[in-house]
Amino acid sequence: MNASDIRREIHRFRILIIGRANAGKTTILQRVCDTREKPEIYDSVGRKIDPAVLMASRERGMHNIENEMVFRSNPGFVFHDSRGFEAGGQHEFDKVKAFISSRSKEKCLSDRIHVIWYCIPMDEDGRSFTQAEVKFFSECDTGSIAVIALFTKFDALYDDEFAELISNGVSRKDAQALAPQHAKEAFDKGPQLKLLYNRKGNHRPPRCHVYLANMDKDNADCGTLIEYTAATLDDGTLIRMFVSTQRINMEVCMRYAVKM
């Protein structure tokens, strides 16, 4: 089945993005779709929602996970946004569980959720997991849907590594260059990943994780997210759909073109 046949069958690749407020979700989606524009929002029957109406609903604490976010720069992606469980407690968590469950049972492949990106920010206020993350990975049955943990704002960890390198006699220039890799290595050995993957009761740990840094910069690169997402999918049709829909990592396109 070629790309055009797949597109006729699936139409669009559908992603659920979950995370706390200020986790950088919208910025990541903009990077994936190579745009600075805000997404257009549609309700579950395809009617475009006026931004003023949407803002008024949010100010009243209302949020509809069924709404679809689409960027004009790449309408092949459809995103659903969960505002994070800390905002609505058990009620919000139950809504996300019900949404995942219902979407996983859709007869039409194009209506299912194809992957879940769970954002965990690493800025000053969010370096440890909250009860929301523990709850999701221990209680939410995602079935066959691939879940990827996105450690966003990862550059917030660079300053500590930079300071430690400087204290060890490394030049400022070299410390600045080495800090990102040192931050990754330190995090790999730290308690967060052990909690994420090995905590007793975590019945649905993510299939993998990605570090995302400096997503607010003009030269931000989320190619790693594209690469890991493609590698995590285990359905050939979905892989081809995802790879042909994304437009920011041509290396992935060429690699999978050879494989398939």
Side-chain angles (χ1 to χ4, degrees), residues 11 22-23 32 40 75 89 93 132 144 149 155 193 195 227 231 259:
H11 307 300
N22 301 314
V32 168
E40 295 177 337
F93 179 67
S144 62
D155 48 292
L193 292 187
L195 177 64
E227 185 173 347
K259 287 183 179 181

Coordinates of all heavy atoms in Angstrom, one line a residue, residues 11 22-23 32 40 75 89 93 132 144 149 155 193 195 227 231 259:
H11 N -6.7 9.0 6.4 CA -7.0 10.4 6.3 C -6.0 11.2 7.1 O -5.3 12.1 6.5 CB -8.4 10.7 6.7 CG -9.5 9.9 6.1 ND1 -9.7 10.0 4.7 CD2 -10.4 9.1 6.6 CE1 -10.7 9.1 4.4 NE2 -11.1 8.6 5.5
N22 N 1.5 24.8 31.2 CA 2.8 25.3 30.9 C 3.9 24.2 30.8 O 5.1 24.4 31.0 CB 3.2 26.2 32.1 CG 2.3 27.4 32.3 OD1 1.9 28.1 31.3 ND2 1.9 27.7 33.5
A23 N 3.5 23.1 30.2 CA 4.4 22.0 29.9 C 5.0 22.2 28.6 O 5.9 21.4 28.2 CB 3.7 20.7 30.0
V32 N 6.5 20.5 15.5 CA 6.2 19.3 14.7 C 5.6 19.7 13.4 O 5.8 19.0 12.4 CB 5.3 18.3 15.5 CG1 4.8 17.2 14.6 CG2 6.1 17.7 16.7
E40 N -6.0 25.7 14.5 CA -7.5 25.9 14.4 C -8.1 24.8 15.2 O -7.7 23.7 15.2 CB -7.9 25.9 12.9 CG -7.3 27.0 12.1 CD -7.7 26.9 10.6 OE1 -8.0 25.8 10.2 OE2 -7.7 28.0 10.0
P75 N -2.1 19.9 7.9 CA -3.4 19.3 8.3 C -3.5 17.8 8.4 O -4.5 17.3 8.8 CB -4.4 19.9 7.2 CG -3.5 20.1 6.0 CD -2.1 20.5 6.6
G89 N -8.4 17.0 38.8 CA -8.4 15.8 39.7 C -8.9 14.6 39.1 O -8.7 14.3 37.9
F93 N -9.1 13.0 35.1 CA -8.5 11.7 34.9 C -9.5 10.7 34.3 O -9.2 10.0 33.3 CB -7.9 11.2 36.1 CG -7.2 9.9 36.0 CD1 -6.0 9.7 35.2 CD2 -7.7 8.7 36.6 CE1 -5.4 8.5 35.1 CE2 -7.1 7.5 36.4 CZ -5.9 7.4 35.7
A132 N -0.2 13.0 39.3 CA -0.8 12.8 38.0 C -0.1 11.8 37.1 O -0.7 11.0 36.5 CB -0.9 14.2 37.3
S144 N -3.2 -1.0 23.1 CA -2.1 -1.1 22.2 C -1.6 0.3 21.7 O -0.7 0.3 20.9 CB -2.6 -1.9 21.0 OG -3.6 -1.2 20.3
A149 N 6.9 9.3 26.7 CA 7.1 10.4 27.7 C 8.0 11.4 27.1 O 9.1 11.1 26.6 CB 7.7 9.8 29.0
D155 N 16.2 21.9 28.9 CA 17.3 22.8 29.0 C 17.4 23.5 30.4 O 18.4 24.0 30.8 CB 17.2 23.9 28.0 CG 15.9 24.5 27.8 OD1 14.9 23.8 27.4 OD2 15.7 25.7 28.2
L193 N 13.6 8.2 36.0 CA 13.3 7.2 35.1 C 13.1 5.8 35.8 O 12.3 5.0 35.3 CB 14.5 7.0 34.1 CG 14.8 8.2 33.1 CD1 15.9 7.8 32.2 CD2 13.5 8.5 32.4
L195 N 11.5 5.6 38.5 CA 10.1 5.7 39.0 C 9.2 5.5 37.8 O 8.1 4.8 37.9 CB 9.8 7.1 39.6 CG 8.4 7.4 40.0 CD1 8.0 6.4 41.1 CD2 8.3 8.8 40.5
E227 N 11.6 10.7 15.2 CA 12.3 9.4 15.0 C 11.9 8.4 16.0 O 11.6 7.2 15.7 CB 13.8 9.7 15.2 CG 14.7 8.4 14.9 CD 16.2 8.7 14.9 OE1 16.5 9.9 14.9 OE2 17.0 7.8 15.0
A231 N 9.7 4.9 15.4 CA 10.3 3.6 15.9 C 9.4 2.9 16.9 O 9.4 1.6 17.0 CB 11.6 3.8 16.5
K259 N 13.2 0.7 4.1 CA 12.7 -0.4 4.8 C 11.5 -1.0 4.2 O 11.2 -2.2 4.3 CB 12.5 -0.1 6.3 CG 13.7 0.2 7.1 CD 13.4 0.5 8.6 CE 14.6 0.7 9.4 NZ 14.2 0.9 10.8

